[in-house]
Amino acid sequence: MNDDLVLTLSCVDRPGIVATVAGFLADRGFTIRDSQQFGDDDTELFFLRIHAAREGSISFETVRQEFAAVVADPLEAEWAIQDPSHRQRALVMVSRQGHCLNDLLHRSRIGSLPAEIVAVVSNHEDFRELVEWHGIEFHHVPVTAETKVQAEDELRKLISTHDIDLVVLARYMQILSDDLCRDLAGRAINIHHSLLPSFKGARPYYQAHARGVKVIGATAHYVTAELDEGPIIEQDFTRVDHSSSAADLTATGRDLEALALARAVTAHAEYRVLLNGSRTVVFR
């Protein structure tokens, strides 16, 4: 049996970081299976992701304690050591557009999504039957201006009760409060129905059609208090032309949204996303 781990690290760039980390792993019997790194000239930060394996059994806690003392603390690094066999527990939020939800449920059911969807929350009842058919809990949490605080408290309880690692906003058409955004920082992903920056307001694909756009797309990003301004994880797009109707753009856009969101969830669940200020480093 191999004990695999995924190690991620970011710190101020300096010579010898890769050698130090590789030496630490080698001294403890690990073989590096995959290694990716990036040095950002703009921020002078260094980013590293390593997937390593070791024959036999070793305590993750022991490795973490030793890594902190030997490597991370001297480098003043932000880091994590994760078990890649752990499927992150996801809670999906949706309103009345179900294309992204349906795509995630299908991917999870066939095993192509490296995350386990354990609950779905919606401010409408539309998708209860679909979600429960998949054997997943469905929670109807209505939201009005008067009940927003209570609804977010209910969401917090569900996140705690289900030990949720990741919250996915799959076309959830409610704005989360600043406090909740801060509580979920780095573990909530939203899908935006356009390439950011975008057309503001309702019916974005109709606005795009009216402006004669030649490219449409979708953006998956981390949720922050600044609406649709969070660090971008994934984008997808396609070219269109004058022959595309507004309905054509809408249908194509839905496909792009589902694909971009699934890729972003996959990257996050495989510990491939590192924050770099308002941007991300995403190792493929």
Side-chain angles (χ1 to χ4, degrees):
M1 293 288 292
N2 283 337
D3 275 354
D4 286 21
L5 61 78
V6 171
L7 185 156
T8 55
L9 174 146
S10 62
C11 64
V12 174
D13 203 355
R14 68 189 72 179
I17 298 173
V18 174
T20 299
V21 174
F24 171 88
L25 294 171
D27 290 345
R28 285 151 185 82
F30 283 94
T31 299
I32 294 176
R33 303 298 189 194
D34 179 73
S35 178
Q36 295 173 284
Q37 57 274 334
F38 170 68
D40 188 348
D41 291 337
D42 294 333
T43 62
E44 298 183 346
L45 294 177
F46 181 81
F47 301 86
L48 174 68
R49 180 188 186 273
I50 290 178
H51 180 185
R54 178 184 184 275
E55 294 290 337
S57 180
I58 190 169
S59 165
F60 269 77
E61 191 55 39
T62 297
V63 176
R64 290 187 180 107
Q65 290 175 359
E66 293 180 356
F67 186 81
V70 175
V71 180
D73 289 350
L75 291 174
E76 299 181 338
E78 294 186 13
W79 62 281
I81 292 177
Q82 306 286 0
D83 178 359
S85 68
H86 169 68
R87 295 183 71 204
Q88 292 202 26
R89 297 172 61 81
L91 180 147
V92 179
M93 302 184 71
V94 66
S95 290
R96 280 187 157 153
Q97 297 186 49
H99 50 287
C100 290
L101 169 66
N102 192 50
D103 182 75
L104 291 172
L105 290 172
H106 175 69
R107 291 174 187 269
S108 180
R109 188 176 186 87
I110 66 174
S112 67
L113 190 75
E116 178 187 4
I117 299 174
V118 297
V120 172
V121 170
S122 180
N123 53 328
H124 300 283
E125 288 276 5
D126 300 49
F127 299 111
R128 176 182 293 277
E129 183 177 354
L130 170 67
V131 171
E132 292 181 345
W133 181 84
H134 281 271
I136 296 170
E137 290 186 18
F138 180 90
H139 298 272
H140 178 218
V141 182
V143 182
T144 66
E146 294 74 24
T147 65
K148 187 177 182 67
V149 173
Q150 295 92 323
E152 291 195 348
D153 285 344
E154 177 65 20
L155 177 62
R156 287 185 176 92
K157 290 178 184 177
L158 290 170
I159 291 171
S160 176
T161 300
H162 291 287
D163 195 21
I164 296 299
D165 299 304
L166 175 65
V167 174
V168 183
L169 277 61
R171 294 311 306 271
Y172 181 67
M173 307 307 290
Q174 292 288 326
I175 297 174
L176 304 185
S177 70
D178 290 359
D179 285 344
L180 184 57
C181 288
R182 283 188 286 268
D183 291 346
L184 297 176
R187 59 190 186 109
I189 297 174
N190 185 37
I191 185 65
H192 192 278
H193 45 231
S194 182
L195 293 173
L196 294 173
S198 65
F199 294 101
K200 303 295 184 181
R203 295 161 64 90
Y205 293 117
Y206 285 78
Q207 293 185 58
H209 180 253
R211 294 284 297 275
V213 300
K214 298 300 184 279
V215 172
I216 61 169
T219 302
H221 62 90
Y222 283 120
V223 174
T224 64
E226 294 74 35
L227 184 64
D228 298 327
E229 298 290 337
I232 293 171
I233 306 169
E234 179 64 54
Q235 293 184 293
D236 205 349
F237 73 96
T238 190
R239 298 192 64 83
V240 296
D241 61 25
H242 59 275
S243 67
S244 301
S245 68
D248 292 336
L249 297 186
T250 300
T252 300
R254 287 171 178 161
D255 290 342
L256 295 173
E257 290 167 23
L259 186 56
L261 182 59
R263 287 174 175 165
V265 170
T266 296
H268 177 94
E270 293 180 345
Y271 313 107
R272 296 183 180 276
V273 186
L274 283 74
L275 287 172
N276 183 16
S278 61
R279 298 181 293 157
T280 60
V281 172
V282 184
F283 291 120
R284 302 300 181 182

